[in-house]
Amino acid sequence: MSPQSGIFPPSLQPPLDVVLAKAVATLPGPNAMPGSSWYEPKFDGYRCLLVAGDTVTLWSRSRKELTKYFPDLVAAAERELPEGCIVDGEAVIWNNNRLDFDALQRRMVTAKAMLPALARELPASFAAFDVLAVAGQDTRALPFSSRRALLHELAKDWIPPLELSPGTTDLDTARKWFEQLPATGVEGVMVKGLSQLYVPGTRSWLKIKHRDNTDVVCAAVIGSITQPQAIIAGLPIDGRLRIVGRSTALAASTARELARYLTPAQLHHPWPEEINETGLNRFSKDKGPVQLTLVEPLVVEVSGDTAWSGNAYRHPLRFVRARPELDPDDVHVPER
């Protein structure tokens, strides 16, 4: 832990837990949240806390210190954040007017000596949406409307890469964001209550993600052919059918319907019978092997959110239906 001297009380010493969000299927109305609803874009980046103590540090939602990976954000916070502030937000990278999550991940695997050059090539931004402390005082017991007012005051003279996340109480504006912003890589909309306190570890906020249906190739399943538990999705990348993700768990009725179309794999299948869990979910803490049941490639329709990196889905897909009438050779990689 980076020492913060006497600037913060023990309850504010990093690392800290953050408020989380529960996924919902539809955009909640203006009176759905305590004190009325506040809507914000849901950026596709790293959820972080910027802590301005004796030094500026940056912490992930999983309590990992990220300070060394984002020298550009730390330098900006040293200029713009008064001592004693803790700001909650999203670290993102814009590339050709679109959020680039892969560029964020490159920060985590780049040698320290190369980070300054990478930061100049693809600089990060920080979209701030809440504040946990001002002048060393805990603000988490204040209603969100008051915290937002404090954050607005802090941000009035900011210049990029520190920015205040947009927000609105207008449902029509939120609907436009939900429909239009996914083209830029924004995942959807966050919804908060104006009278809500900041209660770490709770899922007191709501999130709705934009989802699109697309075709992928199912060339393996988890479970058996007769009782598949999840599909393994593939897409043609660089001339090969590559694993790009997995589905959520299949309902029993859905599994029975899918099993009708599954046949055992023939010779020269492109995939192995065992892969690492991280091959399906790079954020999984489980590094153990996953056994695959290989099948003849079958086109299936899935529903996915905007978390398509160009070579993988970072979030599980939802199985929609089998498309046996389609040829796997006709399936294409979705546009970013």
Side-chain angles (χ1 to χ4, degrees), residues 80-99:
E80 307 287 348
L81 273 186
E83 192 175 83
C85 290
I86 301 177
V87 177
D88 192 356
E90 199 89 4
V92 299
I93 290 178
W94 292 94
N95 185 10
N96 293 323
N97 297 315
R98 184 181 171 87
L99 293 172

Side-chain angles (χ1 to χ4, degrees), residues 78-138:
E78 288 173 344
R79 295 192 304 268
E80 307 287 348
L81 273 186
E83 192 175 83
C85 290
I86 301 177
V87 177
D88 192 356
E90 199 89 4
V92 299
I93 290 178
W94 292 94
N95 185 10
N96 293 323
N97 297 315
R98 184 181 171 87
L99 293 172
D100 189 339
F101 192 86
D102 282 356
L104 278 174
Q105 290 193 306
R106 286 172 57 191
R107 294 285 185 106
M108 311 301 287
V109 296
T110 298
K112 182 178 180 180
M114 300 298 294
L115 273 172
L118 183 60
R120 288 192 296 271
E121 178 189 356
L122 290 170
S125 298
F126 188 82
F129 50 66
D130 214 325
V131 60
L132 282 64
V134 174
Q137 302 300 305
D138 196 331

Side-chain angles (χ1 to χ4, degrees), residues 27 37-43 148 164-191 208-210 306:
L27 194 63
S37 299
W38 174 265
Y39 307 96
E40 296 171 356
K42 186 183 186 306
F43 293 99
R148 180 73 186 190
L164 182 65
S165 176
T168 184
T169 57
D170 182 65
L171 180 58
D172 288 338
T173 299
R175 285 175 176 151
K176 289 179 182 177
W177 286 347
F178 183 72
E179 293 301 326
Q180 298 173 7
L181 291 184
T184 68
V186 171
E187 292 186 305
V189 172
M190 297 289 297
V191 191
I208 173 172
K209 291 185 178 182
H210 196 282
T306 58

Side-chain angles (χ1 to χ4, degrees), residues 53-297:
D54 291 336
T55 58
V56 171
T57 54
L58 187 68
W59 299 84
S60 75
R61 57 173 280 183
S62 58
R63 303 168 66 90
K64 178 181 179 180
E65 186 170 0
L66 303 180
T67 308
K68 66 180 180 181
Y69 302 109
F70 292 92
D72 41 356
L73 296 185
V74 170
E78 288 173 344
R79 295 192 304 268
E80 307 287 348
L81 273 186
E83 192 175 83
C85 290
I86 301 177
V87 177
D88 192 356
E90 199 89 4
V92 299
I93 290 178
W94 292 94
N95 185 10
N96 293 323
N97 297 315
R98 184 181 171 87
L99 293 172
D100 189 339
F101 192 86
D102 282 356
L104 278 174
Q105 290 193 306
R106 286 172 57 191
R107 294 285 185 106
M108 311 301 287
V109 296
T110 298
K112 182 178 180 180
M114 300 298 294
L115 273 172
L118 183 60
R120 288 192 296 271
E121 178 189 356
L122 290 170
S125 298
F126 188 82
F129 50 66
D130 214 325
V131 60
L132 282 64
V134 174
Q137 302 300 305
D138 196 331
T139 60
R140 292 174 293 184
L142 297 175
F144 175 70
S145 57
S146 298
R147 301 197 310 274
R148 180 73 186 190
L150 286 171
L151 181 61
H152 192 275
E153 183 66 21
L154 281 175
K156 65 180 182 180
D157 295 322
W158 284 358
I159 58 174
L162 297 189
E163 300 180 84
L164 182 65
S165 176
T168 184
T169 57
D170 182 65
L171 180 58
D172 288 338
T173 299
R175 285 175 176 151
K176 289 179 182 177
W177 286 347
F178 183 72
E179 293 301 326
Q180 298 173 7
L181 291 184
T184 68
V186 171
E187 292 186 305
V189 172
M190 297 289 297
V191 191
K192 307 171 183 179
L194 288 175
S195 66
Q196 284 182 308
L197 311 185
Y198 193 102
V199 184
T202 63
R203 291 190 178 274
S204 50
W205 297 343
L206 302 178
K207 61 183 177 182
I208 173 172
K209 291 185 178 182
H210 196 282
R211 304 186 70 89
D212 292 311
N213 284 14
T214 189
D215 291 333
V216 298
V217 178
C218 170
V221 297
I222 296 175
S224 67
I225 284 184
T226 56
Q227 293 181 310
Q229 300 169 9
I231 69 163
I232 306 301
L235 285 170
I237 298 176
D238 297 330
R240 294 179 55 194
L241 184 66
R242 297 184 183 273
I243 293 175
V244 296
R246 62 175 293 173
S247 72
T248 55
L250 302 176
S253 59
T254 302
R256 287 193 297 269
E257 178 65 19
L258 173 62
R260 296 173 52 202
Y261 303 101
L262 298 179
T263 58
Q266 304 299 310
L267 295 176
H268 309 300
H269 194 284
W271 296 351
E273 294 183 346
E274 181 180 288
I275 62 174
N276 291 328
E277 173 66 28
T278 50
L280 297 175
N281 179 3
R282 70 186 73 179
F283 301 111
S284 174
K285 296 180 181 179
D286 182 4
K287 308 300 182 182
V290 176
Q291 300 297 320
L292 303 184
T293 300
L294 303 182
V295 299
E296 277 298 283

